[in-house]
């Protein structure tokens, strides 16, 4: 869905930081609970990077899985989606991981 | 449909194929040269620029004591109907202006202006959500008075707007009973982002198969503790809850 806009934001963010240095490789972190579909980012990456310093760069995506801590019983558990409840039945949890949407690193030509 | 979503089909698919071939050719080239490279750790939020602009909006609004509320829903859930009624009924008490986000047309802004309230229409074209920069432009044009209320009707879409902070103080997600009770389960990110959930068109409950309890359970799973109000924007049933919520947030 909105992965086109997300991918455009990636390019903008990289250019803001790195200027027009050609990028060979980029590594993103897209958590499984972030609401962004990694495959869709891969799908539009070549299209959106065309004509930018990221054109032709290889794209690596790390997908941290969801982890939460229950605010009622303190248990820590994994979750594949935002609908999972704690074993104690509580929905009141703090997300520890899975919502990441960031650029971890880029590899540029020296 | 929507090019930002990537769901508009042919043009994008064709371009994509082309670019993909290109990238592939390029990859073969890598094997030989092994150019010198340097890895730079960025650890930066993808939406950092939008988030930065959203913070500026938030500050701008706070300095003027303006309450900005971002209304999000699927197309047709009743955002404009609710806004029109709210302005008609609270207009004497609150100074309300409206930012209308739609892919095309100025129809919704015209509906708002018919109430006498100022409105600015932002057409996102192929874009499927408002972002912080668009809101900044909208606020410049509207120039809302100090201590007033700005209601923002986001583009009808339950996916993309959830990710883009506008700098608003509160996010309201509206679902109508004609959409099916499983919306929170299908779009948990959107419900998780909500400060208030409105269940609209309750006047139609006798005619549709809508399981209110299942809706409330799905909402609680996605966003435990979020306030849910049931109302009908056309009959006005339950609307006082919404007005009370709004009043409680006034600066
Ligand atoms: N029965 C009933 N109909 C409603 C209610 N609220 C809105 N509608 C109708 O639902 C339709 C869509 O309402 P809008 O207010 O245009 O919805 P919207 O969310 O602004 O739509 P978009 O801007 O296109 O996303 C209209 O025909 C409204 O009259 C309600 O509470 N009950
Ligand atoms: Mg509308
Ligand atoms: Zn628990």
């Amino acid at each position: 869905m909105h992965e086109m806009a997300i991918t455009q934001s990636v390019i903008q963010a990289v250019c803001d930081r790195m200027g027009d240095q050609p990028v060979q490789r980029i590594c993103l972190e897209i958590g499984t609970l972030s609401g962004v579909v990694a495959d869709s980012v891969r799908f539009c990456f070549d299209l959106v990077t065309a004509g930018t310093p990221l054109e032709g760069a290889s794209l690596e995506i790390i997908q941290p899985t969801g982890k939460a801590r229950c605010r009622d019983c303190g248990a820590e558990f994994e979750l594949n989606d935002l609908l999972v409840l704690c074993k104690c039945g509580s929905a009141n949890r703090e997300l520890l991981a899975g919502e990441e949407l960031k650029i971890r690193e880029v590899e540029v030509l020296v | 449909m929507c090019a930002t979503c990537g769901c508009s089909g042919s043009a994008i698919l064709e371009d994509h194929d082309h670019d993909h071939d290109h990238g592939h050719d390029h990859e073969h080239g890598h094997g030989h040269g092994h150019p010198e490279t340097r890895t730079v750790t960025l650890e930066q939020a993808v939406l950092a620029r939008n988030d930065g602009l959203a913070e500026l909006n938030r500050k701008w609004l706070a300095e003027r004591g303006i309450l900005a509320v971002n209304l999000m829903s699927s197309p047709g859930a009743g955002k404009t109907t609710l806004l029109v009624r709210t302005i008609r009924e609270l207009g004497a008490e609150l100074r309300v202006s409206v930012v209308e986000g739609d892919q095309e047309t100025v129809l919704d802004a015209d509906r708002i202006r018919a109430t006498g309230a100022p409105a600015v229409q932002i057409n996102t074209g192929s874009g499927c959500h408002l972002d912080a920069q668009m809101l900044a432009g909208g606020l410049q044009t509207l120039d809302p008075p100090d201590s007033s209320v700005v209601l923002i009707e986001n583009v009808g879409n339950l996916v993309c707007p959830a990710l883009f902070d506008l700098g608003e103080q509160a996010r309201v997600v509206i679902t109508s009973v004609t959409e099916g009770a499983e919306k929170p389960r299908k779009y948990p990110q959107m419900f998780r982002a909500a400060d208030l959930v409105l269940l609209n068109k309750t006047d139609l409950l006798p005619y549709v198969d809508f399981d209110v309890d299942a809706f409330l359970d799905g909402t609680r799973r996605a966003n435990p503790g979020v306030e849910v109000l049931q109302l009908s924007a056309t009959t006005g049933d339950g609307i006082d809850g919404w007005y009370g919520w709004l009043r409680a947030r006034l600066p």
Side-chain angles (χ1 to χ4, degrees), chain B residues 213-226:
Chain B
D213 288 337
F215 175 80
L216 295 176
D217 180 61
T219 302
R220 181 182 73 94
R221 283 171 181 260
N223 190 347
V226 72

Side-chain angles (χ1 to χ4, degrees), chain A residues 1 4 16 43 103 106-107, chain B residues 4-5 16 37 40 44 49:
Chain A
M1 293 294 279
M4 194 79 123
D16 284 350
F43 175 81
I103 304 161
V106 290
E107 198 177 318
Chain B
T4 298
C5 286
H16 176 76
T37 61
V40 183
Q44 180 179 334
R49 187 187 276 208

Side-chain angles (χ1 to χ4, degrees), chain A residues 28-49:
Chain A
L28 304 179
E29 237 174 83
I30 300 180
T32 50
L33 306 178
S34 67
V36 174
V37 180
D39 275 343
S40 306
V41 172
R42 287 194 189 96
F43 175 81
C44 59
F45 186 74
D46 287 344
L47 169 67
V48 177
T49 53

Side-chain angles (χ1 to χ4, degrees), chain B residues 162-210:
Chain B
L163 281 164
F164 291 84
D165 186 5
L166 303 179
E168 73 282 64
Q169 279 95 328
R171 298 170 148 206
V172 177
V173 173
I174 307 176
T175 309
S176 60
V177 303
T178 50
E179 294 173 56
E182 68 289 347
K183 276 286 181 296
R185 294 171 183 270
K186 288 183 176 170
Y187 303 97
Q189 271 83 14
M190 176 56 85
F191 283 81
R192 178 171 157 71
D195 298 297
L196 173 70
V197 174
L198 297 180
L199 180 58
N200 189 32
K201 308 195 189 180
T202 50
D203 57 296
L204 300 179
L205 274 174
Y207 314 104
V208 293
D209 188 15
F210 184 92

Side-chain angles (χ1 to χ4, degrees), chain B residues 75-81 108 111 153 200-201 203-204 232-234:
Chain B
K79 300 179 292 296
T80 310
T81 307
D108 281 359
R111 281 167 70 189
E153 176 172 341
N200 189 32
K201 308 195 189 180
D203 57 296
L204 300 179
S232 165
T234 46

